Amino acid sequence: MNKQTVKTQQLRNIGIIAHIDAGKTTVTERILYYTGRSYKIGEVHNGEAVMDWMADEQERGITITSAVTTCRWKNVEIQLIDTPGHVDFTVEVERSLRVLDGAVGVFCAVGGVEPQSEKVWRQADKYRVPKIAFVNKMDRVGADFFRTVEMMKEKLNARPLVIQIPVGREDRFSGVIDLIEMKQVLWDDDTLGSRFEMVEIPDSLRDEAARHRENLIETLSDVDDRILEAYLSEEPIEKSEILRAIREAVISLSLVPVLCGSALRNKGIQPLLDAIALFLPSPGDIPPIEGVNPETGEKVYCEPMPGKPLAALIFKVSIIEGRKLSFVRVYSGKLVAGSDVFNPLRNRKEKVSRILKMHANKRERIDEAGPGAIVGVVGLKESSTGETLCTSEHPVALEKMEFEEPVISIAVEPKTHSDQEKLDEVLAKFAAEDPTLRIKIDEDTGQTILSGMGELHLEIIISRMMREFNTRVNVGKPQVVYRETIAKAASSTMEFDREIAGQRHAAGVSLALRPLERGTGNRFKVETEQDVIPPQFIPDIEKGITESFESGSFMGYPVIDVEAALVGGTFREGLSTSLAYNVCASMACKDAFSKGEPFLLEPIMRVDVFVPDQYIGDVIGDLNARGGKIESMESKSGMQQLRAMAPLSRLFGYSTALRSATQGKGTFSMQFSHFDSSNS
């Protein structure tokens, strides 16, 4: 066993984020090879990628679960998370970005900024994660570096800083020109790109390189006063000054350095590693994370110093070989193997049995982990995703993560009696791992209902049940998870007076329900005089309404976009209780809801389809038949990108229909947009 002795300033916690098939995992495999972490390059298309270690990942050639690894480049230790690109597994990206200090956005030079690229970029913006961009696949037909840079401005609202330009493109792509060094970088194909050299820029490219270098300095001068001063006075600018200015601009989220290459052809990865080390922040470069003292409600700032009180966040839970492994990011203080930690949310102590340094599904035991460390922890029995670990002497709760609601359901039944016994246990493990998977028992049919983010998400769950736990189930057809709302305002007054367990409980509540605009969510407000109902009972009334909204009285789906106003009520001294107000509010809410002309809202998906020009008519016709509304069309080198909105209920099986209509050449991605009525 060894201690975690890496200094905070030498750490880089980064994630690789991108649209599916942009080459994230291929980039990661090259990083592992050139840093000496892997002795050979694992290829995604051969099912040999180190970071795609699950059987389903290897079979399908996609990343499903985010994998953590550590490697060294020069004097820096890089803790790297390779995240999925498929929209069904967006939770993996969300929780990874929550604990990362920097991100590398990988873009396909042909597709440019694709729909899922936009989504993960916005997630990174939400957590204020500094970013650099790598335009991959420069060797592919249709590759266009500068168009991708323009798309970053238009679609991501980013400010790109081009620090490299490609030499050639498509099959003539041979290397890059480094605009900081003003040298051409050439890779040696015989050594799988391990060896490269910096040579003088050819005469034919010198003017172009000088023009882009001028743009680089100009862009930097907009955000850095020292560069501006030197630029205006036409003084020579030292390389160290340029590097300092870029680093500060990246950390302040002002600029995004853009590099390029072809990971599959082993070109462009070493300069990317240099950029990670030079420009992305260490845990000490970013502001201390903010938490709250759960006892006093005061703000607590967790500084990244080993001598400070412990503050760590569980960002993911995995069940590996039947054992629970919690992935933890340490923000402040030290996590020590064998010590006790405190979970303020559950108000209980937990034991840290072992601390593990992760390399995909391989692990190495360490004694302790300091600020900035991302490690696996064994021994936490009850703590779960999004919860904080600290000390009971210095309690702190870090901000919890929020996850999207599921939009699709399937019913599962065990095939045999022995499968029945396993099923509940297996599903409990999956639920602990995946916050976007919801499990409930249908009281009418007794079936187990699984709800998730998409068809592929649920397909993988069923596949893992069989592979990892040998649990066989019959699966019902996918069902849409609807929502309920009301068409008009309605009110109700209810009285509750009952003896329960020898005590009398009495209360009266008058509620008015009003429809709200789509996407507003639910609201509660008090419109009574202060003395009608004592203030201490208001939270009980709100709780009763919230519980009632979890299952609408129309068809039992959750209620959204409704305002509930407390407009009256009665209080009886000595008889009115919290229980009475809670139950009475729930009764009044259900009664008013049924009077408000309730109706269903269904999930509307944003669908992005990429098809060759010759098939566009058939694809539009099919989308129209499915109730889709075309929002935009864009031409991209022989391909058309369609963006449409369509109800999820009409999109089941769309993947097969699209493949047959385009002879397998069309691809699509979809993600949840909003809930709306099907006829709107």
Side-chain angles (χ1 to χ4, degrees):
M1 289 199 285
N2 61 322
K3 290 198 174 184
Q4 172 84 316
T5 53
V6 180
K7 289 179 182 166
T8 306
Q9 289 301 42
Q10 294 174 305
L11 269 179
R12 299 290 181 274
N13 290 321
I14 66 157
I16 310 280
I17 60 172
H19 185 89
I20 191 167
D21 214 26
K24 287 181 315 306
T25 302
T26 306
V27 168
T28 307
E29 293 299 319
R30 268 47 179 191
I31 287 174
L32 297 181
Y33 180 67
Y34 297 132
T35 56
R37 195 69 177 84
S38 296
Y39 66 91
K40 69 169 193 159
I41 295 175
E43 299 294 12
V44 176
H45 51 266
N46 295 335
E48 293 174 353
V50 172
M51 302 298 270
D52 286 352
W53 55 271
M54 283 171 61
D56 279 297
E57 292 179 311
Q58 290 167 354
E59 255 180 34
R60 296 163 194 263
I62 61 169
T63 303
I64 291 167
T65 180
S66 51
V68 183
T69 191
T70 309
C71 55
R72 287 197 76 85
W73 181 250
K74 297 180 179 174
N75 66 337
V76 165
E77 181 163 298
I78 299 170
Q79 295 186 120
L80 180 69
I81 299 183
D82 176 32
T83 63
H86 196 287
V87 68
D88 282 16
F89 309 106
T90 188
V91 62
E92 290 287 337
V93 185
E94 181 87 21
R95 56 187 175 186
S96 300
L97 286 169
R98 172 69 170 79
V99 297
L100 291 172
D101 303 324
V104 177
V106 177
F107 299 96
C108 169
V110 183
V113 177
E114 296 171 283
Q116 186 64 2
S117 318
E118 289 183 58
K119 176 146 182 131
V120 295
W121 197 269
R122 305 248 181 274
Q123 286 172 307
D125 283 343
K126 179 171 106 178
Y127 292 116
R128 297 192 59 75
V129 176
K131 298 170 281 292
I132 57 179
F134 181 72
V135 180
N136 191 26
K137 303 192 179 184
M138 283 305 306
D139 58 317
R140 291 273 293 274
V141 175
D144 190 333
F145 174 73
F146 293 106
R147 191 196 62 190
T148 304
V149 172
E150 284 306 307
M151 290 174 79
M152 286 177 66
K153 293 178 190 171
E154 293 162 19
K155 295 196 169 184
L156 304 178
N157 206 18
R159 189 152 186 214
L161 178 74
V162 174
I163 61 173
Q164 286 180 353
I165 57 170
V167 178
R169 58 186 244 192
E170 300 181 347
D171 57 351
R172 295 187 306 282
F173 173 69
S174 61
V176 303
I177 290 173
D178 184 325
L179 299 174
I180 300 172
E181 297 278 3
M182 283 305 275
K183 296 276 187 185
Q184 181 175 352
V185 190
L186 293 173
W187 278 269
D188 177 7
D189 290 336
D190 294 336
T191 62
L192 290 175
S194 291
R195 282 208 298 269
F196 60 95
E197 56 180 339
M198 309 281 274
V199 300
E200 292 303 317
I201 299 169
D203 291 344
S204 59
L205 294 171
R206 202 160 284 159
D207 288 348
E208 188 188 352
R211 192 174 77 250
H212 286 292
R213 160 84 175 200
E214 182 80 2
N215 290 344
L216 183 150
I217 300 296
E218 217 173 279
T219 306
L220 267 183
S221 68
D222 285 348
V223 297
D224 190 281
D225 291 342
R226 278 152 66 177
I227 298 283
L228 177 63
E229 214 172 284
Y231 179 59
L232 292 174
S233 55
E234 297 185 357
E235 293 171 15
I237 302 171
E238 295 291 322
K239 175 186 161 187
S240 59
E241 270 297 283
I242 294 173
L243 295 178
R244 175 203 58 77
I246 295 175
R247 180 174 176 78
E248 287 178 8
V250 170
I251 292 172
S252 66
L253 305 179
S254 306
L255 297 174
V256 178
V258 186
L259 302 91
C260 60
S262 167
L264 195 62
R265 301 280 168 260
N266 309 312
K267 291 177 172 64
I269 301 302
Q270 293 94 336
L272 175 62
L273 281 162
D274 285 339
I276 289 167
L278 288 167
F279 306 137
L280 288 179
S282 74
D285 292 321
I286 54 175
I289 192 165
E290 195 180 291
V292 172
N293 183 321
E295 291 166 8
T296 64
E298 290 173 12
K299 282 185 181 177
V300 179
Y301 293 95
C302 308
E303 295 177 63
M305 294 163 68
K308 294 285 181 180
L310 174 69
L313 183 78
I314 302 170
F315 67 96
K316 176 175 170 168
V317 171
S318 281
I319 309 296
I320 299 176
E321 294 165 4
R323 300 192 69 177
K324 181 177 173 182
L325 178 66
S326 303
F327 288 82
V328 173
R329 158 77 194 252
V330 182
Y331 284 99
S332 176
K334 278 185 184 176
L335 197 60
V336 181
S339 66
D340 287 336
V341 290
F342 181 65
N343 180 333
L345 187 77
R346 298 179 185 267
N347 195 26
R348 62 168 292 132
K349 285 191 173 180
E350 294 260 46
K351 184 89 165 173
V352 176
S353 305
R354 279 184 288 159
I355 302 175
L356 306 168
K357 205 172 187 178
M358 304 301 296
H359 177 51
N361 61 335
K362 298 181 176 66
R363 306 178 273 288
E364 171 196 345
R365 286 180 74 165
I366 56 175
D367 291 339
E368 60 182 44
I374 294 176
V375 291
V377 172
V378 178
L380 305 178
K381 290 189 169 63
E382 292 191 29
S383 299
S384 189
T385 301
E387 293 175 12
T388 306
L389 302 177
C390 57
T391 61
S392 48
E393 297 78 28
H394 299 93
V396 59
L398 302 175
E399 186 187 352
K400 284 204 74 171
M401 291 183 271
E402 290 177 6
F403 302 110
E404 291 181 10
E405 290 295 311
V407 294
I408 185 170
S409 294
I410 53 172
V412 295
E413 295 175 335
K415 284 196 171 178
T416 66
H417 184 66
S418 63
D419 291 324
Q420 172 68 64
E421 292 168 6
K422 285 191 220 163
L423 183 62
D424 295 343
E425 188 184 324
V426 170
L427 288 178
K429 287 177 178 174
F430 283 141
E433 271 191 11
D434 186 349
T436 58
L437 177 70
R438 303 290 161 81
I439 300 157
K440 72 169 189 176
I441 306 296
D442 188 314
E443 291 175 9
D444 297 330
T445 63
Q447 287 177 312
T448 301
I449 309 294
L450 305 186
S451 303
M453 303 306 294
E455 285 183 275
L456 182 62
H457 182 199
L458 296 176
E459 208 177 289
I460 298 290
I461 294 287
I462 300 300
S463 171
R464 287 185 63 200
M465 265 188 208
M466 184 64 203
R467 278 181 197 274
E468 295 174 31
F469 300 97
N470 199 24
T471 305
R472 294 165 304 154
V473 290
N474 294 318
V475 181
K477 281 187 178 175
Q479 301 289 322
V480 175
V481 179
Y482 293 94
R483 295 288 185 269
E484 296 183 16
T485 193
I486 52 173
K488 66 171 192 179
S491 56
S492 175
T493 299
M494 285 284 168
E495 293 284 338
F496 182 83
D497 191 341
R498 198 171 298 168
E499 192 173 298
I500 301 169
Q503 185 188 346
R504 196 164 159 210
H505 299 262
V509 172
S510 294
L511 291 181
L513 300 189
R514 299 160 192 145
L516 295 173
E517 276 187 37
R518 291 293 149 264
T520 311
N522 294 328
R523 281 206 300 249
F524 170 70
K525 57 199 282 199
V526 179
E527 295 180 358
T528 59
E529 296 295 321
Q530 261 190 330
D531 55 350
V532 173
I533 294 172
Q536 69 265 31
F537 294 119
I538 300 298
D540 301 306
I541 292 171
E542 186 176 1
K543 186 170 177 250
I545 292 166
T546 305
E547 287 168 355
S548 174
F549 280 170
E550 285 171 9
S551 174
S553 55
F554 185 45
M555 288 183 71
Y557 292 108
V559 173
I560 60 169
D561 301 338
V562 174
E563 178 183 85
L566 177 64
V567 293
T570 56
F571 169 71
R572 292 158 76 178
E573 191 72 52
L575 297 178
S576 288
T577 62
S578 294
L579 173 67
Y581 279 114
N582 181 288
V583 175
C584 195
S586 179
M587 287 162 53
C589 191
K590 285 194 183 302
D591 185 52
F593 189 79
S594 60
K595 295 174 184 172
E597 294 179 8
F599 63 98
L600 288 182
L601 298 172
E602 65 177 320
I604 306 297
M605 311 299 282
R606 191 180 87 181
V607 187
D608 289 275
V609 190
F610 295 84
V611 290
D613 290 342
Q614 67 263 39
Y615 301 114
I616 192 71
D618 292 342
V619 170
I620 289 175
D622 182 49
L623 273 172
N624 287 336
R626 292 170 183 270
K629 292 175 183 170
I630 310 294
E631 295 203 323
S632 67
M633 276 176 66
E634 197 180 325
S635 188
K636 289 184 180 178
S637 53
M639 297 286 282
Q640 293 282 348
Q641 181 186 349
L642 276 179
R643 179 162 284 187
M645 292 289 183
L648 175 61
S649 58
R650 308 283 291 278
L651 289 171
F652 293 138
Y654 184 61
S655 173
T656 309
L658 182 67
R659 277 199 296 267
S660 60
T662 61
Q663 297 182 7
K665 294 173 185 168
T667 60
F668 85 105
S669 68
M670 68 173 175
Q671 62 194 63
F672 171 72
S673 171
H674 62 284
F675 282 98
D676 213 335
S677 55
S678 52
N679 54 9
S680 63

